[in-house]
Amino acid sequence: MQNASVSLVDTSLDDLVDKLMRQQNAAFIKDGFPGALLFATGLVELAPTNYNLLATLSFLYADYALFVEDENVEYAISLFTTGTDYGMRALKVNNAKFRKAVEEGTKIPEAVKHLTKDDLKALTWYGINLSKRITLQLANPHEIIDLPDAVAAGKRAIELDPNYAWGASWNILGIFYAIVPEMCGLGGGANASREAFAKGNQVENGEFGLINVFIARYLCPLIKDPDLFDRLLNGVIAMDSCKLGNGLCMINEMAKQKARYSLENKSKYFD
C-alpha cells in the first residue's frame, strides 16, 4: 500500500511538471509557480526519501527563481538556496558512496566522481541552483568559496551526459568562465566561455533560448560587444517558444521575459 501511494505521488508531480512546462503564457506560469511549489513540497513530506520527488523539486525551485530573479534578487537567492538543498538531499538519498564521502568530509569536487547517470537529474539542478545563487552574490566572499562545488557539479553532469536537460549544465561553465579572468589559471576567459556556450547551443540547435540570454548577460559585457547583445536577445524574443523539447514552451517563455528585461536594462550590463 505504501509503495502504491509513493508511486501515485510521483506520478502526480510528474504530471504537474509536464503541464507547467507546456504552458505558453509567462504571466500565468509565474503566478502558478508558488502553488506548484507548495504542492510539490507537500508531496515530498509524504515521501521524504523519494529521489525523483526531491530532484524534481530542485528543478522547480531553479525555474521559479530564474523567473523572479530580475525583479527580486533576494527572493531568488532564497529560492536557489532551497533548490540547492533539495538537489543535495536527492543526491545523498540516491547514492550511498557519494553520501558517505560527503559526510566524512570529502569536498564536493572530489566526491562527484561517485555520481552516475542515475544521479544526473539531481546533479544537474543542484549545480544550476548553486551556480545561480553564487552569481547573484559575487561580492560575498562566502559565496565565492562554493564556486568550485558548482563548477564540479556542472563538469560531472557534462561528463555523464552533455545533452541532458537541453544542455543546461553548459551554462554553468559558460557563466563561470566569463566571470573568472583568464589569468587566474582556472580555465576562465572569453574563449573558454564562448566555447562552453557554443557546445550548449549545439544540443538543441539553438532552440534553448536561455543560453543566448546568458551569453548576452555574461559574455557580451566581457568582450564589450553590445551589438551581439542586441542580436542575441532580439533573436530569443522572436523564436518559437515551443520548439524546445516538442512543446516545452515554458523554458523559452521565461527566456523571452529575461531577454526583454535585459534589453530594457542594457546599461546595467555595459557600464
Side-chain angles (χ1 to χ4, degrees):
M1 182 67 178
Q2 185 177 12
N3 288 339
S5 298
V6 171
S7 178
L8 180 61
V9 164
D10 226 343
T11 303
S12 297
L13 185 55
D14 287 342
D15 288 346
L16 171 67
V17 171
D18 184 69
K19 287 180 172 59
L20 196 60
M21 292 285 287
R22 295 184 186 282
Q23 290 291 331
Q24 198 171 357
N25 184 315
F28 177 81
I29 296 166
K30 193 167 94 171
D31 290 345
F33 247 113
L37 285 173
L38 283 173
F39 174 69
T41 303
L43 293 181
V44 168
E45 294 304 314
L46 294 175
T49 60
N50 183 293
Y51 168 76
N52 185 56
L53 291 180
L54 291 166
T56 301
L57 198 49
S58 181
F59 162 72
L60 288 173
Y61 269 97
D63 271 12
Y64 186 41
L66 285 166
F67 258 111
V68 304
E69 67 173 338
D70 293 329
E71 61 191 56
N72 193 331
V73 172
E74 292 304 317
Y75 184 36
I77 290 170
S78 72
L79 293 169
F80 284 129
T81 300
T82 303
T84 301
D85 292 343
Y86 276 115
M88 179 56 69
R89 278 179 60 182
L91 292 171
K92 288 181 176 179
V93 159
N94 206 49
N95 190 305
K97 288 182 179 179
F98 175 78
R99 180 179 67 249
K100 185 173 185 290
V102 171
E103 290 177 351
E104 289 179 350
T106 302
K107 300 297 184 184
I108 297 297
E110 176 66 17
V112 294
K113 68 183 181 184
H114 297 295
L115 298 173
T116 72
K117 283 192 174 183
D118 289 340
D119 308 301
L120 191 53
K121 182 176 181 178
L123 175 61
T124 297
W125 301 113
Y126 162 79
I128 296 290
N129 275 293
L130 180 57
S131 63
K132 284 299 295 174
R133 189 197 82 195
I134 292 167
T135 57
L136 291 180
Q137 304 176 87
L138 287 175
N140 184 340
H142 174 73
E143 291 297 319
I144 298 298
I145 291 172
D146 291 335
L147 192 54
D149 294 357
V151 174
K155 287 183 174 180
R156 183 57 177 160
I158 288 168
E159 287 173 1
L160 294 171
D161 185 351
N163 299 332
Y164 182 75
W166 326 291
S169 289
W170 288 108
N171 286 317
I172 298 176
L173 299 189
I175 292 170
F176 168 69
Y177 293 144
I179 63 178
V180 174
E182 195 168 353
M183 70 280 296
C184 288
L186 298 174
N191 288 335
S193 175
R194 187 183 290 108
E195 182 179 353
F197 281 131
K199 287 180 177 177
N201 252 330
Q202 288 171 6
V203 175
E204 293 291 335
N205 298 313
E207 298 296 341
F208 183 22
L210 269 180
I211 293 181
N212 281 348
V213 171
F214 290 141
I215 294 172
R217 290 189 175 191
Y218 292 98
L219 180 58
C220 288
L222 176 64
I223 61 177
K224 297 179 171 48
D225 195 336
D227 292 335
L228 178 60
F229 180 92
D230 290 346
R231 289 200 304 275
L232 288 171
L233 296 175
N234 282 316
V236 171
I237 292 169
M239 74 191 316
D240 180 347
S241 297
C242 300
K243 277 191 176 181
L244 181 68
N246 294 317
L248 303 181
C249 313
M250 181 196 78
I251 299 295
N252 280 336
E253 283 300 307
M254 177 206 303
K256 290 186 178 192
Q257 173 183 295
K258 298 177 82 63
R260 292 186 188 97
Y261 173 89
S262 301
L263 287 168
E264 291 167 2
N265 295 272
K266 186 175 180 178
S267 60
K268 175 181 176 181
Y269 303 100
F270 295 92
D271 294 331

